[in-house]
Amino acid sequence: MSRKEERDQAIAETLEKVRAEDGDTRQSLAAIRDHMIALAQRRELFPEEDFPIPEDGSGEVFDVLSRDDDGRHELYIEVANKHVWTPPHNHTTWAVVVGIQGVELNRIWEGDGGPTGEAPLRLAREVEVRNGTGVCLMPNDFHSIHMEEGVHNMHLHLYGLGFAHLKGRLMFDQESGSYRSFD
Ligand SMILES: [Fe+2]
């Protein structure tokens, strides 16, 4: 079996376990995260040579590894060697991020600002996503992600529903203190 076939099989087996969870509760999401951590810990399946930093100058690529026919369980690998700094945003579906190598700092935000930004989000906690760790987000949780240049980062991002199906995503603009569409 080639390495790609082995990787695809490991991904398929992991997603079978993920599909047995509904992702509707934090407990279920934690179980999904643990299945994903186990996958990401098989680092021999994700060597840098199979996931190089793109040479187009972007420093970053976000590749789909798997997606169910109905659009659920969209799995990406994010490969990056650049300064990444996103605004706080939600996904309107559950999400799990786990590390293969490098560090993706996840800031988890909380607040009751509502869609018109009556109150700003506050930083609740930070999680350094690296090999062996992960973060879980319910559909209306806000996170921001932060990476530094000089590291060949590889992280797996799994979404309950694929991006093409998501509507009404929001980001929080810290300068103006208000929410904006993030579709
Ligand atoms: Fe995100």
Side-chain angles (χ1 to χ4, degrees), residues 62 86-91 95 97 104 106 137 141-145 157 159 163 169 182:
F62 213 50
T86 75
H89 60 272
N90 66 3
H91 302 93
V97 181
E104 181 184 298
N106 272 252
L137 299 158
D141 287 348
F142 279 72
H143 79 151
S144 57
I145 66 176
H157 291 229
Y159 300 94
F163 278 100
R169 296 179 65 207
F182 197 53

Side-chain angles (χ1 to χ4, degrees), residues 46-99:
F46 300 95
E48 290 181 6
E49 61 184 286
D50 287 6
F51 299 99
I53 303 296
E55 285 171 7
D56 58 8
S58 67
E60 181 179 39
V61 65
F62 213 50
D63 267 341
V64 178
L65 296 179
S66 182
R67 181 193 292 127
D68 292 356
D69 290 340
D70 61 3
R72 299 178 68 210
H73 303 112
E74 194 162 78
L75 174 64
Y76 290 86
I77 185 165
E78 171 158 44
V79 181
N81 180 353
K82 70 180 291 195
H83 176 77
V84 174
W85 190 271
T86 75
H89 60 272
N90 66 3
H91 302 93
T92 68
T93 184
W94 60 257
V96 167
V97 181
V98 300

Side-chain angles (χ1 to χ4, degrees), residues 18 20-33 35 136:
V18 168
E21 299 288 337
D22 54 25
D24 287 346
T25 63
R26 291 196 187 272
Q27 192 181 10
S28 166
L29 215 46
I32 291 172
R33 177 200 58 205
H35 293 313
C136 302

